[in-house]
Amino acid sequence: MSETRIFNFNAGPSALPLTVLKEIQASFLDFKGSGMSVTEISHRSGVFDEVINDTVARTRRLLNIDEKYHVLFLQGGASLQFAMIPMNFLGEGATADYVNTGTWSTKAIKEAKLLEKKISVVASSEDKNFSYIPKNIEFNKDAKYVHITSNNTIKGTQWHSFPDTNGVPIVSDMSSDIFSRPLEMEKFGMIYAGAQKNIGPAGVCMVILHDDMLKLSEELLQGENKTLPNMLRYNTYSSQNSMYNTPNCFGIYVTQLVLKWIEEEIGGLTKMEARNKEKGQMLYDFIDGSNFYRATAEKDSRSLMNVTFRLPTEDLEKEFIGQATKNRLGGLKGHRSVGGCRASIYNATTMEAIEALIKFMKSFASGK
Amino acid sequence: MSETRIFNFNAGPSALPLTVLKEIQASFLDFKGSGMSVTEISHRSGVFDEVINDTVARTRRLLNIDEKYHVLFLQGGASLQFAMIPMNFLGEGATADYVNTGTWSTKAIKEAKLLEKKISVVASSEDKNFSYIPKNIEFNKDAKYVHITSNNTIKGTQWHSFPDTNGVPIVSDMSSDIFSRPLEMEKFGMIYAGAQKNIGPAGVCMVILHDDMLKLSEELLQGENKTLPNMLRYNTYSSQNSMYNTPNCFGIYVTQLVLKWIEEEIGGLTKMEARNKEKGQMLYDFIDGSNFYRATAEKDSRSLMNVTFRLPTEDLEKEFIGQATKNRLGGLKGHRSVGGCRASIYNATTMEAIEALIKFMKSFASGK
């Protein structure tokens, strides 16, 4: 830890691996001997082709997927996907199932409804303030997809296993836990993620799309979707290696470096998951053993990415966050919509950061 | 010029001012004492508020515009605007005029037609391979807007004055010449620009929108546009300071630094324009005085941003580009759709770069 850097528990944009940041910095005026910054190279150049192709290749290796999945880079974040998904996959009369586990699921549902698409909310944890992940859900066999949010940054819950959907492909917003663990990819028709939590800077959205879903969207483009704008069609990206127009080159480059870090320094997703479990367990164990802090999510639904907790009073929470900031522990304030405290401990958060946080939490509690 | 940097004539992404790149590099691990990289700070933080608000303030000062114009940051590049413009401004039965001056205008026209909007192509320079800007155009008085491309990167032409449109607001794609000169903003209902040529890295698109246009779009949202996705509505951005969702924070930050450079180092848009004219004239004068190189655009329509030229044969062009690259002059190949040579000399291109290019061009020609 350099003396100027803080321990960063921001929910997103959030901490990136220090080795990644240092590599970006070191090569910022001269990228790979090109004599240009990575922000100045043409997206149609060989040097950028290597960046995007390596990012795709690393994604395939890490998730163990073959050419049946298309790895795409879009812009507009997960929020644009909330619209593109129903627009591309739901034709007249077709339906999809949605599970509501909090703010981001709710936004995805609202967007599909705004578009006047026919969707069913088949389960929700709103009854207990979204503090758990619903179980034993009955899915519709004829749904085109089942939409879930794999990790809920605001309420601090996470799907630890993915449901049996009778073969209906799952479409999951994984903005806050992509590449944090291995995935049974055969369950997924599509996963998508704004990069700014686990894989890069804001402004690039990764979409991993099964070819069957792409074909479904292409059938609709032949008919009722023929007026869909080019930038909202998945095949615009899949047919041109995400370069129909200029992509967010810098964002893709940072993503490449983060995936390289996961592969080469961490050692892949199984090890990444073990590290994340160790970090999460250490923090939750401390909170559970304390009679001062209280975790807000139900035990079996707790997120390994966002640890939400409360103190005895709101005044103490305010004091806690203020003192933490002075002690170089940043980003511990809960989302403005729910209050409380939250430590976001994504892939890049180190064990050192968790230890520093626990040490501070102990010291703060003992003074009260 | 550092010994590792090249002279970068890329068409986009393209050269950025060296002082800007150095500032990004120097603060990359600790942005403004935050202890975080600019890629790690929350978009909801005070430190980022300062970035985006200063970028907006500098835009207003440079273009001399007040609150009647909204300064917005979107994603998806100009290509997404090709769709958003007709979607937001053209209701049932409404029409718009388009002027076709090359590849990008053609794409904007195609996208409006794909959406089955009623538009008129009121002028085109396709008859002479888009080598000039049309004059004496008859515009439709009842059009909602007139769409033009102010600078044409591929064909090397530029509007040097903007047409009288009978009061119909001009909507201009200015991706390749925004902030290169002062503008009579009262003629414009909207200007938009992918950042990657004159103001920043790829992945952020600046939109400057007159309040009357915003109101027109909001009227349509009350009725026939009520199913328009949130991410495609301009008021989603104008009502939330471009932070309905996480914006491209890094892209906005680089834009801020480029605008600061224009204000504080160059001295504003009048001086920026004078510098661009000096650079362009030096290069065109050299080409015109040569009997080896030939400029492709008509004299009164020549772009000060993209100087397109040919050599006596395609073989010589290939050799020229190859030798230039070896001499640390990069990006001189014409667009893949037209061939030939092109020197993109945007704001950030220095006089030193122009001189180095001319010196090389002289030397290459004298050896033939």
Side-chain angles (χ1 to χ4, degrees):
Chain A
M1 187 73 172
S2 104
E3 59 191 53
T4 63
R5 299 264 303 162
I6 65 162
F7 292 111
N8 178 356
F9 298 99
N10 271 334
S14 46
L16 287 166
L18 189 57
T19 52
V20 166
L21 295 174
K22 284 183 173 170
E23 182 169 342
I24 298 166
Q25 185 181 44
S27 67
F28 201 69
L29 298 188
D30 182 11
F31 183 63
K32 294 200 178 288
S34 66
M36 297 176 272
S37 171
V38 67
T39 57
E40 299 178 303
I41 59 172
S42 171
H43 60 299
R44 307 276 176 212
S45 64
V47 67
F48 187 72
D49 274 340
E50 261 182 51
V51 170
I52 194 165
N53 292 338
D54 186 57
T55 316
V56 171
R58 289 185 187 277
T59 300
R60 291 194 189 286
R61 284 199 297 272
L62 282 165
L63 292 174
N64 196 22
I65 50 175
D66 63 17
E67 306 287 325
K68 281 201 306 288
Y69 286 90
H70 304 274
V71 179
L72 314 175
F73 302 94
L74 280 73
Q75 297 181 48
S79 295
L80 185 59
Q81 296 309 305
F82 298 162
M84 279 181 66
I85 291 162
M87 285 174 116
N88 276 273
F89 304 132
L90 294 182
E92 187 76 29
T95 73
D97 287 354
Y98 279 69
V99 181
N100 191 0
T101 54
T103 308
W104 300 108
S105 309
T106 305
K107 284 205 174 195
I109 290 163
K110 275 193 183 159
E111 202 67 23
K113 287 185 175 168
L114 173 74
L115 291 160
E116 298 182 349
K117 298 291 182 177
K118 211 173 130 193
I119 63 161
S120 306
V121 179
V122 291
S124 166
S125 51
E126 197 171 3
D127 59 334
K128 291 186 182 172
N129 196 22
F130 297 116
S131 61
Y132 69 100
I133 299 293
K135 286 193 198 74
N136 307 317
I137 304 166
E138 278 194 41
F139 294 99
N140 291 304
K141 285 196 179 69
D142 57 352
K144 294 294 180 192
Y145 61 86
V146 171
H147 185 277
I148 64 167
T149 312
S150 58
N151 183 75
N152 302 283
T153 47
I154 295 175
K155 304 294 182 175
T157 64
Q158 188 175 21
W159 292 77
H160 293 298
S161 64
F162 294 100
D164 179 2
T165 54
N166 307 312
V168 176
I170 299 176
V171 169
S172 180
D173 178 357
M174 291 201 180
S175 296
S176 51
D177 67 354
I178 192 167
F179 294 111
S180 71
R181 54 180 165 172
L183 291 171
E184 297 164 274
M185 281 300 295
E186 59 279 10
K187 287 190 170 178
F188 296 93
M190 170 171 157
I191 65 181
Y192 63 101
Q196 67 273 11
K197 295 171 196 289
N198 255 326
I199 50 173
V204 61
C205 182
M206 188 182 253
V207 170
I208 302 171
L209 183 65
H210 193 284
D211 198 55
D212 290 347
M213 297 298 286
L214 182 70
K215 289 215 171 77
L216 166 62
S217 76
E218 286 180 325
E219 275 163 34
L220 292 170
L221 288 172
Q222 297 305 313
E224 60 187 289
N225 267 357
K226 68 183 164 51
T227 65
L228 197 66
N230 277 301
M231 289 293 288
L232 302 186
R233 299 171 174 218
Y234 289 112
N235 70 357
T236 297
Y237 301 86
S238 64
S239 64
Q240 298 186 63
N241 200 22
S242 303
M243 289 191 281
Y244 168 73
N245 72 336
T246 319
N248 180 338
C249 300
F250 178 77
I252 295 169
Y253 160 61
V254 181
T255 301
Q256 178 200 23
L257 295 185
V258 171
L259 299 187
K260 185 179 160 208
W261 170 80
I262 296 174
E263 272 198 296
E264 297 176 13
E265 289 191 51
I266 300 298
L269 293 185
T270 302
K271 289 193 177 165
M272 191 81 252
E273 181 179 40
R275 196 176 107 133
N276 285 327
K277 281 186 171 166
E278 195 186 351
K279 280 155 46 186
Q281 189 163 359
M282 186 182 279
L283 187 49
Y284 282 117
D285 280 355
F286 167 73
I287 291 172
D288 289 342
S290 140
N291 50 17
F292 187 76
Y293 302 100
R294 178 177 55 82
T296 60
E298 292 192 8
K299 273 197 177 176
D300 65 357
S301 302
R302 284 172 170 177
S303 168
L304 291 175
M305 299 284 108
N306 309 92
V307 178
T308 49
F309 58 97
R310 306 295 310 235
L311 272 64
T313 68
E314 287 188 10
D315 281 347
L316 280 168
E317 286 166 348
K318 214 170 154 182
E319 194 187 332
F320 173 84
I321 293 157
Q323 282 199 27
T325 307
K326 281 181 196 147
N327 282 273
R328 309 193 69 69
L329 302 157
L332 290 166
K333 199 171 166 182
H335 189 268
R336 59 211 152 97
S337 65
V338 294
C341 299
R342 171 175 56 176
S344 295
I345 54 170
Y346 301 118
N347 281 351
T349 305
T350 59
M351 187 58 79
E352 189 193 358
I354 306 289
E355 286 163 357
L357 174 59
I358 291 174
K359 191 178 160 194
F360 171 75
M361 289 173 80
K362 272 185 192 161
S363 147
F364 184 84
S366 76
K368 298 296 152 191
Chain B
M1 187 72 174
S2 106
E3 59 191 54
T4 63
R5 299 263 305 162
I6 65 162
F7 292 111
N8 178 356
F9 298 98
N10 272 334
S14 46
L16 286 166
L18 190 56
T19 52
V20 166
L21 295 173
K22 284 183 172 169
E23 181 169 343
I24 298 166
Q25 185 181 44
S27 67
F28 200 69
L29 298 187
D30 182 11
F31 182 64
K32 295 203 179 284
S34 67
M36 297 176 273
S37 171
V38 67
T39 58
E40 299 179 303
I41 59 171
S42 171
H43 60 298
R44 307 276 176 211
S45 63
V47 67
F48 187 72
D49 274 340
E50 261 181 51
V51 170
I52 194 166
N53 292 337
D54 186 57
T55 316
V56 171
R58 288 185 188 279
T59 300
R60 291 194 189 287
R61 283 198 298 271
L62 281 165
L63 292 174
N64 196 22
I65 50 175
D66 63 17
E67 306 287 325
K68 281 201 306 287
Y69 285 90
H70 304 273
V71 179
L72 312 175
F73 302 94
L74 281 73
Q75 297 181 47
S79 294
L80 185 59
Q81 295 310 304
F82 297 163
M84 278 181 67
I85 290 163
M87 286 174 115
N88 276 272
F89 304 132
L90 293 183
E92 187 75 30
T95 73
D97 287 353
Y98 278 69
V99 181
N100 191 359
T101 54
T103 307
W104 301 107
S105 309
T106 303
K107 285 205 174 197
I109 290 163
K110 275 194 183 159
E111 202 67 23
K113 286 185 176 167
L114 174 73
L115 291 161
E116 298 181 351
K117 298 290 183 178
K118 211 173 130 192
I119 63 160
S120 307
V121 179
V122 290
S124 166
S125 51
E126 197 171 4
D127 59 335
K128 291 186 183 172
N129 196 23
F130 297 116
S131 60
Y132 69 101
I133 299 294
K135 285 193 199 75
N136 307 317
I137 305 166
E138 278 193 41
F139 295 99
N140 292 302
K141 285 197 179 69
D142 57 351
K144 294 293 180 190
Y145 61 85
V146 171
H147 184 277
I148 64 167
T149 312
S150 57
N151 183 74
N152 303 283
T153 47
I154 294 175
K155 304 293 182 175
T157 63
Q158 187 175 21
W159 293 77
H160 292 298
S161 64
F162 295 100
D164 178 2
T165 55
N166 307 312
V168 175
I170 299 176
V171 169
S172 179
D173 178 357
M174 289 200 181
S175 296
S176 51
D177 67 354
I178 192 167
F179 293 112
S180 71
R181 53 181 166 171
L183 292 171
E184 297 164 274
M185 281 299 294
E186 58 280 9
K187 287 190 170 176
F188 296 93
M190 170 171 156
I191 65 181
Y192 64 101
Q196 68 273 11
K197 295 169 196 290
N198 256 325
I199 49 173
V204 61
C205 181
M206 188 181 251
V207 170
I208 302 171
L209 183 65
H210 194 284
D211 197 55
D212 290 347
M213 297 298 286
L214 182 69
K215 288 213 171 77
L216 166 62
S217 75
E218 286 181 323
E219 275 164 34
L220 292 170
L221 288 173
Q222 296 305 313
E224 60 187 290
N225 266 357
K226 68 183 164 50
T227 65
L228 198 65
N230 277 301
M231 289 293 287
L232 303 186
R233 299 170 174 218
Y234 289 111
N235 70 357
T236 297
Y237 301 86
S238 62
S239 64
Q240 297 186 63
N241 200 21
S242 302
M243 289 191 280
Y244 167 73
N245 73 337
T246 319
N248 180 339
C249 299
F250 179 76
I252 295 169
Y253 160 61
V254 181
T255 302
Q256 178 200 22
L257 295 185
V258 172
L259 299 188
K260 186 178 159 207
W261 170 80
I262 296 174
E263 273 198 296
E264 298 176 11
E265 289 192 51
I266 300 299
L269 293 185
T270 302
K271 289 193 178 166
M272 191 80 252
E273 181 180 40
R275 195 176 108 133
N276 286 327
K277 281 186 172 168
E278 195 186 350
K279 279 154 47 186
Q281 188 163 359
M282 185 182 279
L283 188 49
Y284 282 117
D285 281 354
F286 167 72
I287 291 171
D288 289 343
S290 141
N291 50 18
F292 187 76
Y293 303 100
R294 178 177 54 82
T296 60
E298 292 192 9
K299 273 198 177 176
D300 65 357
S301 303
R302 285 172 170 178
S303 167
L304 291 175
M305 300 285 107
N306 311 91
V307 177
T308 49
F309 58 96
R310 305 296 311 235
L311 272 63
T313 69
E314 287 188 10
D315 281 346
L316 281 168
E317 286 167 348
K318 215 172 152 180
E319 193 187 333
F320 173 83
I321 292 158
Q323 282 198 27
T325 307
K326 282 182 195 145
N327 282 274
R328 308 193 70 68
L329 301 158
L332 290 166
K333 199 171 166 182
H335 190 268
R336 61 210 151 95
S337 66
V338 293
C341 300
R342 171 177 55 176
S344 294
I345 53 170
Y346 301 118
N347 282 351
T349 305
T350 58
M351 186 59 80
E352 189 192 358
I354 306 290
E355 286 163 356
L357 174 59
I358 291 174
K359 191 178 160 194
F360 170 76
M361 288 172 80
K362 273 184 192 161
S363 147
F364 183 85
S366 75
K368 298 296 151 192

